Amino acid sequence: MKATQILRAFARAGKQVRLVGDLNAGVIIALDLEGRLFTVLGGEVLNRVNPEAIAGESTVQSYLNPGGDGLWPAPEGTALGYQYSTGAWRVAPGLRAARYQVIKCTKQSAEVLAEVDLINAQGRGIPTLFKRSVTVTPGRNAVAVRVVESITCLGRTPLRRTDCLLAPWTLCQFDSGPGCEVVFPCVRKADVWDLYDDSSDAQRTWGDRLCRTATNGSQRYQIALGERVPWIEFRDPRRGLVVRRQAGPLAAGQSLIDIRDAAPDTTPSRKGVRYSVYSDPANFMEIEAVGGAPAVLRPQVELCLKVTTRYACS
């Protein structure tokens, strides 16, 4: 989609956006659509775009996945996740209705925030502040997008990990199809595991100290990658597009967590996820990065995840 087209779509829907950089190399922040980020290079939007989500509104009956790059709370499922507070999977109303405000802005950067009330699968309510600090650096046929993702608990009392598990989680979506794949450095197969059904035989290949996993739409799957994996890279030969994501180090006292989309009667595993790859038969995919969680979630302490995503087109 052309950048001018998506801007017109937001204008028709009466939804606010903020442009960081420009339409040659920049990011469109959808303030009224979950604060999603849409990266632009050479006038083209590189992320997946769902026009229905721009024109409409998600409801309890139907979630319109916007595409782009979103900030969500982890974990998704298990007894401490945020998508099963009613027992069935749903995107939390506080998340899908979030309206972000711009609190800082320059030509190449912006900081936006929104209040998001969360409820975990145990019924515990957690008032939070979501913040996304975005910096754009243009290059030759490329653009680097550095985002500091943060979630701050606004509650009054400290919460231990047995009662509350919380980490920032960023999900970056793309259209995909034949020939598309994700590549990452990895030599230990134990550092890669499935979060749904087994996909290893059909999707993954190993060689030259790299793992390649197909995101061609042939199977719905999600794999988790451990802390030894330094980066992940989506490759779309149809568009000559290469997108690499790299997360910064965890803060002292934090550790990786189980982000699985598991039933609410499931205890979270101690096996923590650093990156994740999701592939869907509807011909879209996600490259995801996850931050860490502290042993005790304290009021007003900011949980941060620093991610640099470099987009390049040949």
Side-chain angles (χ1 to χ4, degrees):
M1 176 180 281
K2 296 287 186 182
T4 52
Q5 290 177 301
I6 193 174
L7 290 175
R8 285 197 296 267
F10 277 114
R12 285 194 300 268
K15 292 178 179 176
Q16 299 182 84
V17 300
R18 178 59 60 98
L19 175 63
V20 181
D22 55 37
L23 296 187
N24 187 55
V27 170
I28 296 168
I29 306 176
L31 300 171
D32 293 339
L33 192 62
E34 300 181 21
R36 297 273 176 141
L37 312 179
F38 296 87
T39 295
V40 178
L41 186 62
E44 297 283 344
V45 180
L46 300 182
N47 297 100
R48 176 178 182 263
V49 179
N50 181 0
E52 291 184 358
I54 298 175
E57 300 286 345
S58 290
T59 66
V60 65
Q61 291 84 17
S62 176
Y63 175 64
L64 303 176
N65 193 327
D69 179 350
L71 170 61
W72 276 19
E76 182 171 2
T78 76
L80 296 176
Y82 299 99
Q83 307 297 70
Y84 288 91
S85 59
T86 63
W89 188 93
R90 67 168 187 167
V91 177
L95 189 64
R96 66 176 188 248
R99 299 294 181 262
Y100 281 74
Q101 291 182 308
V102 180
I103 58 172
K104 292 181 183 178
C105 189
T106 69
K107 172 65 176 175
Q108 299 298 127
S109 67
E111 190 171 285
V112 301
L113 57 80
E115 286 187 294
V116 179
D117 287 345
L118 301 172
I119 303 173
N120 69 17
Q122 292 186 346
R124 181 179 292 276
I126 305 153
T128 67
L129 187 70
F130 279 39
K131 185 168 68 176
R132 314 192 78 182
S133 300
V134 182
T135 303
V136 171
T137 304
R140 185 176 180 181
N141 297 322
V143 59
V145 181
R146 181 178 182 271
V147 184
V148 181
E149 312 278 22
S150 76
I151 301 177
T152 302
C153 177
L154 303 178
R156 296 179 300 158
T157 58
L159 298 171
R160 297 190 176 277
R161 286 179 72 142
T162 52
D163 298 315
C164 173
L165 194 58
L166 180 62
W169 177 20
T170 173
L171 308 88
C172 196
Q173 293 188 2
F174 299 92
D175 293 319
S176 64
C180 293
E181 64 176 0
V182 173
V183 177
F184 49 90
C186 189
V187 294
R188 285 170 29 105
K189 291 189 177 182
D191 291 332
V192 182
W193 62 98
D194 281 289
L195 297 178
Y196 294 133
D197 296 331
D198 181 30
S199 67
S200 57
D201 292 340
Q203 303 298 334
R204 293 198 289 277
T205 59
W206 301 78
D208 298 326
R209 304 183 68 83
L210 293 174
C211 178
R212 287 178 162 82
T213 186
T215 56
N216 54 19
S218 63
Q219 180 186 358
R220 178 179 181 263
Y221 73 88
Q222 185 178 14
I223 56 171
L225 314 179
E227 60 185 349
R228 289 183 175 86
V229 176
W231 48 261
I232 55 177
E233 186 174 275
F234 172 61
R235 298 176 179 178
D236 183 351
R238 305 168 305 171
R239 294 189 286 171
L241 176 63
V242 176
V243 184
R244 179 178 293 193
R245 305 203 88 185
Q246 185 164 12
L250 298 181
Q254 294 185 4
S255 58
L256 297 175
I257 67 170
D258 178 10
I259 68 168
R260 280 180 301 159
D261 178 7
D265 58 356
T266 304
T267 301
S269 167
R270 293 185 179 182
K271 198 171 185 180
V273 178
R274 187 49 158 163
Y275 299 102
S276 179
V277 179
Y278 175 75
S279 183
D280 195 279
N283 285 333
F284 79 91
M285 60 80 62
E286 296 174 346
I287 45 176
E288 309 171 0
V290 191
V296 178
L297 181 63
R298 300 188 185 279
Q300 305 304 322
V301 173
E302 195 173 29
L303 306 178
C304 290
L305 167 64
K306 298 178 181 179
V307 180
T308 298
T309 307
R310 185 181 185 276
Y311 300 74
C313 288
S314 59

